[in-house]
Amino acid sequence: MGMTVVGVGGWPVTVEAFVGRGLPSLIVTGLPGATVQDARERIRPAVEHAGLEWPLRRVVVNLAPGNLRKDGAGLDLPIAVGVLAATGQVPSNRLAGVVLAGELSLRGEVLSTPGILSMVIAAVRARYRTVVVPEANAVEAAQVGGIDVVPVATLERAVAYLRGTWEPPEVGPATTDGWRAPDVDLADVRGQVQARRALEVAAAGGHNLLLVGSPGAGKTMLARRLPSILPSLTRDEALEASQLHSIVGLLAGSGLLHARPFRSPHHTISTAGLLGGGSTLLRPGEASLAHRGVLFLDELTEFRRDAIEALRQPLEDGAVVVARAGGSVTFPARFTLIAAANPCPCGFRGDLVRTCTCRDDHLGRYRAKLSGPLLDRIDLRLSIPRLTKHELLGANDGEASAAVRARVVAARERQLERYADIGITCNAHLPGPIVRRHAGLNGAAERYLGRAVDTVALSGRGFDRVLRVARTVADLAGCNRVDVDHVREALSYREALDEIGRVQSAS
Ligand SMILES: Nc1ncnc2c1ncn2[C@@H]1O[C@H](COP(=O)(O)OP(=O)(O)OP(=O)(O)O)[C@@H](O)[C@H]1O
Ligand SMILES: [Mg+2]
Ligand SMILES: [Zn+2]
């Protein structure tokens, strides 16, 4: 039995080999994708290199179920073993309850293979007892539990195991699960009190955040510290996120992800790179690799417009649908977006020291880039000033990540409890229609917000955003009801808009 991966899910594939009359050849039937067709060239040399015999007859390998397209080099090993079983070189009865997965080299090595985690999860679900995997992916495979993992470095070893002449070693201990402190800390950040607070609110409520400020203000520095204050991955989240990393081959040699992923793609990235895609094998994009973590778009205005616009779907649905011939595939992509940008092309608009040298038309074009559908989905928008001399030279009195993180964790727990019935985990994911029901404003806060609607011309969407953020501010304070102060703080995170321009100020 083999496995193929579709999207993030593993699917069992039955490999049946027939050796019959005819000229020596290997034919694979049952909807093999291009990667599986390639296997035909690898398998015979691999078998011969392992000191085994390739039948000099016509070999037909059928992959079932026939309606499922099979892709991935992981089918090399089960196909080779299927042929060896059909020629009596491997005892067929030993194959019952066993799943095999692994790419073969021409020399019969079993190579590190993408997607092993998804395959093992599917194997456990389908109640297989044993899974034979590449040695390089053994630790990854062992994280799932509930199935025996047999690590093999060569086809020869796999055959020896099935013949009962080789006893596989125990796979090393599960590497520590849970939160590990990232190597950067908020304590490194001087001043920037408001930006630090916005980072905390973003972490606590899962809100997307835009930082606007002049060069060197510390935008990149702040953004990189967001993971250090996020709650640790639950085991289920770690499994989900790790599967996506496994599919692109980023997990080999290690166990599950420890810390929440932090992805910061370069602004030259293509839409496919950001969202996922590919011609033969579909790969998840950066948005999915950031699943359960942070997607950081530094220099937001430099990104391709179509790539940015394509992010709307994951921001709304928490998933990406990638189309391909014969259907589409869904990759999870639930992340917190943090974006950074300069206020204008020269970077110094609104700066306390330097003056902006931008021409009006350039400024207009630049600001137009920052408007639009993506910005609409960013709850927190903040302009950050450059540090004053006093702040730069003064004592480093910034609070450390661990202390901030403790407040974030407490606020998240309040949200989990409140939303247990509606299946969301944080305020940022509150659907528009029910945000009011859960916000819990007291009378004074209602009146305050009512006045704000008029003075700052809040739109319906903007109104919902303020409610969500105010709810998070209240959760951080441990309050059941949202008070005036919470609303006031939430309203302050619309400030960057005025800096960036009028285009968004009405949204
Ligand atoms: N608040 C701060 N506390 C301590 N160091 C800072 C702070 N802000 C900036 N720095 C220092 O300045 C460097 C540049 O900061 P950073 O790269 O975060 O700026 P930026 O706002 O992203 O600028 P750019 O717009 O050019 O990308 C940092 O590596 C850090 O050494
Ligand atoms: Mg920067
Ligand atoms: Zn400028």
Side-chain angles (χ1 to χ4, degrees):
M1 186 63 82
M3 283 279 171
T4 189
V5 177
V6 181
V8 273
W11 293 86
V13 174
T14 306
V15 179
E16 304 160 295
F18 309 94
V19 178
R21 266 179 234 207
L23 291 172
S25 59
L26 171 59
I27 293 162
V28 180
T29 61
L31 222 54
T35 47
V36 180
Q37 289 292 4
D38 284 351
R40 292 184 310 167
E41 310 299 329
R42 287 191 294 268
I43 290 174
R44 179 174 171 181
V47 164
E48 290 177 343
H49 222 99
L52 298 153
E53 211 174 293
W54 186 261
L56 292 176
R57 287 187 286 164
R58 183 179 143 96
V59 179
V60 179
V61 170
N62 183 51
L63 306 175
N67 59 356
L68 175 73
R69 191 175 130 129
K70 291 99 189 158
D71 260 309
L75 285 167
D76 288 10
L77 182 61
I79 291 174
V81 167
V83 172
L84 293 169
T87 53
Q89 299 179 80
V90 161
S92 300
N93 59 346
R94 288 273 299 184
L95 289 172
V98 177
V99 168
L100 302 113
E103 175 175 351
L104 291 174
S105 75
L106 299 178
R107 294 188 301 158
E109 297 145 319
V110 180
L111 305 172
S112 171
T113 303
I116 291 290
L117 191 58
S118 297
M119 298 183 200
V120 177
I121 289 171
V124 171
R125 201 171 293 144
R127 298 178 188 278
Y128 285 91
R129 284 181 287 107
T130 307
V131 61
V132 180
V133 299
E135 202 173 65
N137 300 104
V139 180
E140 169 187 346
Q143 304 304 310
V144 183
I147 193 163
D148 289 335
V149 174
V150 177
V152 295
T154 61
L155 175 60
E156 212 177 335
R157 275 284 162 80
V159 169
Y161 165 72
L162 292 167
R163 286 175 175 168
T165 58
W166 174 70
E167 196 61 39
E170 239 351 77
V171 179
T175 33
T176 49
D177 206 330
W179 192 73
R180 183 195 54 188
D183 44 10
V184 291
D185 198 288
L186 268 183
D188 309 335
V189 179
R190 291 163 182 269
Q192 299 299 12
V193 177
Q194 214 201 351
R196 295 172 59 109
R197 171 67 179 173
L199 214 57
E200 177 174 342
V201 173
H207 303 284
N208 301 320
L209 170 65
L210 170 68
L211 296 174
V212 178
S214 51
K219 302 181 293 295
T220 303
M221 189 183 188
L222 281 157
R224 293 202 171 278
R225 281 155 181 76
L226 179 54
S228 73
I229 58 170
L230 288 172
S232 51
L233 289 166
T234 64
R235 183 175 157 78
D236 282 351
E237 287 175 334
L239 271 175
E240 280 175 27
S242 301
Q243 278 185 76
L244 290 151
H245 287 244
S246 168
I247 287 168
V248 295
L250 284 176
L251 213 59
S254 62
L256 302 184
L257 293 183
H258 304 293
R260 290 191 183 262
F262 180 88
R263 306 294 300 184
S264 59
H266 190 255
H267 57 72
T268 51
I269 194 167
S270 66
T271 305
L274 197 55
L275 275 292
S279 48
T280 49
L281 268 184
L282 284 185
R283 282 171 56 104
E286 290 292 331
S288 291
L289 295 176
H291 181 58
R292 301 295 178 201
V294 178
L295 180 67
F296 175 37
L297 302 185
D298 206 356
E299 319 288 352
L300 179 66
T301 50
E302 303 294 314
F303 281 78
R304 295 163 53 107
R305 183 125 203 175
D306 55 335
I308 296 289
E309 303 224 326
L311 276 175
R312 261 162 79 181
Q313 190 196 21
L315 284 174
E316 228 147 72
D317 309 334
V320 179
V321 179
V322 185
R324 68 164 184 185
S328 59
V329 156
T330 304
F331 290 117
R334 175 71 76 197
F335 53 82
T336 296
L337 175 74
I338 177 161
N342 290 337
C344 65
C346 85
F348 293 103
R349 190 142 195 113
D351 194 87
L352 298 172
V353 182
R354 302 205 18 196
T355 25
C356 169
T357 54
C358 298
R359 274 174 32 197
D360 277 357
D361 52 335
H362 286 177
L363 192 62
R365 233 175 296 144
Y366 186 85
R367 288 173 169 181
K369 265 190 183 168
L370 273 178
S371 68
L374 185 69
L375 204 70
D376 239 1
R377 281 149 188 93
I378 298 183
D379 287 347
L380 303 167
R381 306 143 176 204
L382 192 70
S383 62
I384 66 172
R386 72 158 67 219
L387 290 187
T388 60
K389 192 167 79 186
H390 179 71
E391 282 169 322
L392 273 175
L393 298 175
N396 203 358
D397 53 359
E399 199 180 9
S401 291
V404 181
R405 186 171 172 269
R407 290 194 295 271
V408 167
V409 168
R412 285 269 183 149
E413 270 159 18
R414 297 177 67 87
Q415 295 166 67
L416 275 177
E417 209 171 292
R418 182 175 331 117
Y419 304 131
D421 297 344
I422 54 175
I424 64 170
T425 54
C426 56
N427 295 325
H429 301 159
L430 264 179
I434 62 169
V435 85
R436 284 201 63 118
R437 194 182 318 150
H438 292 279
L441 268 66
N442 67 22
E446 287 268 6
R447 285 190 295 279
Y448 184 84
L449 187 56
R451 283 196 299 276
V453 169
D454 292 333
T455 48
V456 301
L458 271 184
S459 70
R461 264 226 189 84
F463 183 80
D464 289 350
R465 265 200 303 270
V466 171
L467 282 182
R468 288 192 193 98
V469 174
R471 183 61 259 170
T472 300
V473 173
D475 282 330
L476 274 170
C479 299
N480 287 331
R481 303 305 298 266
V482 170
D483 208 341
V484 173
D485 285 348
H486 309 141
V487 173
R488 188 180 295 126
E489 182 177 342
L491 282 164
S492 76
Y493 298 124
R494 305 174 59 257
E495 211 179 74
L497 305 189
D498 306 327
E499 306 281 326
I500 303 166
R502 238 171 266 116
V503 196
Q504 302 88 35
S505 63
S507 76

